[in-house]
Amino acid sequence: MTTQTMLSMLGQGMLVSLQIFFWTLVGSLPLGMLVAFGRLSRFKPLTWLVRAYISIMRGTPLMLQLFVVYFGPYYLLGLETGSNYRFTATLIAFILNYAAYFAEIYRSGIESIPHGQREAANVLGYSRSQTFIKIILPQVIKRVTPAITNEVITLVKDTSLAFAIGVTEMFTQAKAIAASQHSMEAFVLAAAFYYVFNAIVAFAMERIEKRMAYYHE
Amino acid sequence: MSENAPAGTPQPTSAASAGRAATGTDVPVLQIAGAVKSFGGTEVLHGIDLTVNRGEVVGIIGPSGSGKSTILRCATLLERLDRGSLCYDGDYLATAGQDGTSSYRDAKTLRAARSKFGLVFQNFNLFPHYTVWKNITDAPLHVQGRDRDEVERVAQDLIRKMGLDGRERAVPCELSGGQQQRVSIARALALNPHILFFDEPTSALDPELTGEILKVIRDLAAEHMTMVIVTHEMAFARDVADRIAFMDGGVIVEEGDARQVVDNPRRERTKTFLGKFTDGA
Ligand SMILES: Nc1ncnc2c1ncn2[C@@H]1O[C@H](COP(=O)(O)OP(=O)(O)OP(=O)(O)O)[C@@H](O)[C@H]1O
Ligand SMILES: [Mg+2]
């Protein structure tokens, strides 16, 4: 295998990893907010359901969840899933898992906003949705950004778990190359990739935090 | 002092007085009758009657836990009455049924009615992520849907009146407590309320900052702004209020002319309460 083939394989893997990362955030950041609403709902059966979902997602390994989503349709329902399903299954499992973590972060953020903020908005005549979107949400985002950053950095590393169901992401490729080359080189490159990726994520999140640092409570 | 101001009296053009131009002459701005409120089985208001006329300043005094905040919170729809009625400018927001149980109007009517009153909190409750300017202008623009030029003019006036010139772009955390409270008063006034409630507006401030807030309230009284002020500043209440209600244990024990209530209270409980202040001071 030439260095060039190796790099192109790793490059493809890298693209897949980036896609898992990107789509997981696109799906789970908003979904987490919906889950948080469910968790905070006054409708008790919904809060129980959501609590159960969150506790299962957080209490079992993401790799196991990947297997369930990937093999579940066949073993449980007898459905044939094409090989394209690997990637979709990865996204479903990642989004469901990360939404649970984000939901808990949002929930504690929402609950941490002093009640007086809602009361002031209420007396000023803001509607419920205006109060949430204009008054509460911006303050929640500021408060939860550090915790979200931690999860996002974990996600960068977690994308390598897709290897378990044979998605050809970065780590899968690195392992394949290492096996055929009897060399550590690909692993070193993969490590460098995750490291740089995380450095970029950390930098971006820091920028976002700085942008919101113009006030404190 | 201001009860006798005839309806047509020219008044200084200000946000404080603008709202009242449309109000009827003799109808009280606020009428609460037979207000009963419980929290989890404990009744904390036992039948409060409170009427506030146009241009009047009413002080509410009383020991901790007597229900002063609760009555303001019921008046501003933050809490709902269990029994009794609530009426602004002759429009009932809650009526008392046969058995006294309050029934409230629909949510839309109640939301619209919120522009009739403003509430100034002890701890300001400014929106920390908004500048002074946005704190003042956001609700008039996006709740009341008023014209931007007009809102900006009103906000500019209020900024000047509250001595906040040059602080428009500041966020609350960059201001002193006294400045924050002045912003919150401006924020309430920007909606042209017919009546302004204050719940211990100086209690969260350092003693040297209370004076500036009391002065602002005095200025509003001089402009005949209708106000209800819960306060522990007895001398101030005596001075600025037309009428004082002394509350204890969820009832109004004594109500009357401000000077009379403070200088010559009729009830023993009022005497005891006020005695603590004069002894302490
Ligand atoms: N949300 C609530 N839940 C339960 N009890 C409450 C609630 N709000 C007020 N109370 C109770 O109602 C009573 C009256 O409280 P309120 O806050 O109106 O008193 P206050 O006169 O404003 O006192 P302070 O001078 O300390 O502000 C108190 O016994 C208080 O514990
Ligand atoms: Mg109180």
Side-chain angles (χ1 to χ4, degrees):
Chain A
M1 191 186 290
T2 63
T3 313
Q4 204 175 0
T5 5
M6 188 171 94
L7 285 178
S8 110
M9 274 178 76
L10 286 176
Q12 279 164 26
M14 191 158 93
L15 273 181
V16 174
S17 295
L18 286 171
Q19 282 180 41
I20 296 173
F21 175 81
F22 177 77
W23 291 114
T24 298
L25 288 185
V26 167
S28 62
L29 283 169
L31 180 64
M33 189 57 81
L34 287 181
V35 175
F37 287 156
R39 177 72 178 72
L40 291 167
S41 158
R42 262 170 294 179
F43 183 59
K44 285 291 167 219
L46 181 60
T47 67
W48 294 329
L49 202 72
V50 170
R51 281 171 85 138
Y53 156 70
I54 291 174
S55 106
I56 291 168
M57 286 296 151
R58 301 209 308 173
T60 60
L62 175 53
M63 195 186 288
L64 190 101
Q65 294 165 21
L66 263 176
F67 284 140
V68 170
V69 174
Y70 183 53
F71 295 113
Y74 180 74
Y75 286 128
L76 298 174
L77 308 168
L79 295 175
E80 288 292 342
T81 48
S83 64
N84 283 341
Y85 182 63
R86 282 178 208 282
F87 186 68
T88 314
T90 306
L91 291 190
I92 293 173
F94 272 71
I95 288 172
L96 289 178
N97 179 276
Y98 272 82
Y101 282 91
F102 289 143
E104 280 301 275
I105 293 172
Y106 292 145
R107 180 186 62 85
S108 68
I110 292 170
E111 285 178 339
S112 76
I113 304 299
H115 204 59
Q117 291 289 304
R118 279 175 196 280
E119 294 189 338
N122 185 297
V123 174
L124 291 166
Y126 288 93
S127 67
R128 279 172 64 107
S129 58
Q130 278 178 322
T131 302
F132 186 76
I133 292 166
K134 299 177 72 120
I135 311 297
I136 306 298
L137 187 59
Q139 298 183 55
V140 169
I141 291 174
K142 179 182 164 88
R143 286 184 185 212
V144 302
T145 303
I148 296 283
T149 302
N150 285 338
E151 293 305 322
V152 174
I153 283 173
T154 306
L155 172 61
V156 170
K157 294 175 281 182
D158 273 357
T159 55
S160 64
L161 288 175
F163 140 83
I165 58 168
V167 174
T168 54
E169 49 65 63
M170 186 69 180
F171 183 66
T172 315
Q173 300 289 63
K175 189 168 173 291
I177 297 165
S180 70
Q181 301 286 292
H182 301 285
S183 134
M184 288 286 287
E185 213 180 342
F187 283 143
V188 173
L189 285 171
F193 161 74
Y194 288 114
Y195 188 81
V196 171
F197 190 176
N198 258 331
I200 293 168
V201 166
F203 176 77
M205 295 305 283
E206 201 174 305
R207 287 288 294 269
I208 294 174
E209 277 180 48
K210 282 226 176 83
R211 181 168 291 195
M212 293 184 294
Y214 71 92
Y215 77 92
H216 56 85
E217 277 90 18
Chain B
M1 95 177 101
S2 50
E3 279 171 295
N4 307 322
T9 308
Q11 288 173 352
T13 42
S14 70
S17 52
R20 275 179 293 114
T23 318
T25 334
D26 299 314
V27 192
V29 178
L30 170 70
Q31 250 179 314
I32 296 174
V36 171
K37 175 71 189 173
S38 302
F39 290 110
T42 316
E43 195 174 286
V44 301
L45 297 181
H46 308 296
I48 302 276
D49 298 313
L50 183 68
T51 300
V52 183
N53 293 305
R54 198 160 89 88
E56 209 180 8
V57 178
V58 175
I60 299 180
I61 59 173
S64 183
S66 56
K68 305 180 299 293
S69 295
T70 306
I71 192 72
L72 289 200
R73 292 172 59 81
C74 289
T76 53
L77 301 174
L78 287 174
E79 302 285 356
R80 296 220 166 180
L81 293 172
D82 298 324
R83 280 186 278 146
S85 62
L86 172 65
C87 177
Y88 281 95
D89 300 323
D91 286 337
Y92 279 88
L93 300 183
T95 49
Q98 293 266 299
D99 58 348
T101 312
S102 311
S103 54
Y104 278 80
R105 304 277 295 278
D106 58 290
K108 199 166 155 242
T109 311
L110 295 182
R111 203 182 144 209
R114 287 193 163 89
S115 64
K116 298 219 166 165
F117 52 76
L119 173 60
V120 173
F121 298 85
Q122 179 176 339
N123 54 351
F124 333 131
N125 288 334
L126 289 175
F127 303 134
H129 57 307
Y130 281 1
T131 60
V132 167
W133 183 255
K134 199 162 163 62
N135 262 287
I136 297 172
T137 57
D138 195 69
L141 288 173
H142 302 295
V143 171
Q144 293 185 325
R146 277 153 57 191
D147 174 65
R148 183 170 286 275
D149 288 345
E150 184 260 341
V151 168
E152 293 192 344
R153 228 176 313 114
V154 169
Q156 210 68 72
D157 280 354
L158 285 168
I159 295 261
R160 195 171 326 113
K161 210 162 114 182
M162 297 293 148
L164 294 162
D165 308 75
R167 307 304 282 145
E168 294 89 340
R169 300 284 148 227
V171 282
C173 65
E174 297 167 336
L175 304 176
S176 73
Q179 288 173 323
Q180 291 190 47
Q181 192 58 299
R182 281 183 273 144
V183 175
S184 95
I185 295 171
R187 179 177 71 172
L189 288 173
L191 292 164
N192 294 329
H194 300 186
I195 180 170
L196 196 50
F197 297 95
F198 293 83
D199 193 354
E200 301 191 28
T202 61
S203 294
L205 300 176
D206 295 337
E208 67 268 25
L209 297 178
T210 59
E212 63 186 64
I213 297 306
L214 299 185
K215 172 164 187 321
V216 164
I217 299 174
R218 268 181 229 275
D219 290 349
L220 290 172
E223 288 177 23
H224 310 294
M225 181 74 209
T226 311
M227 295 184 281
V228 176
I229 308 165
V230 170
T231 183
H232 288 298
E233 305 275 342
M234 292 309 143
F236 168 72
R238 176 188 176 279
D239 217 36
V240 78
D242 301 303
R243 198 147 48 85
I244 283 184
F246 168 66
M247 281 184 77
D248 193 9
V251 295
I252 294 180
V253 174
E254 177 166 357
E255 184 180 353
D257 175 81
R259 279 148 211 244
Q260 177 259 303
V261 172
V262 175
D263 298 341
N264 297 301
R266 295 203 175 99
R267 303 293 178 118
E268 278 311 312
R269 274 150 93 187
T270 321
K271 279 181 200 160
T272 318
F273 174 72
L274 289 166
K276 285 193 192 115
F277 277 86
T278 38
D279 293 349

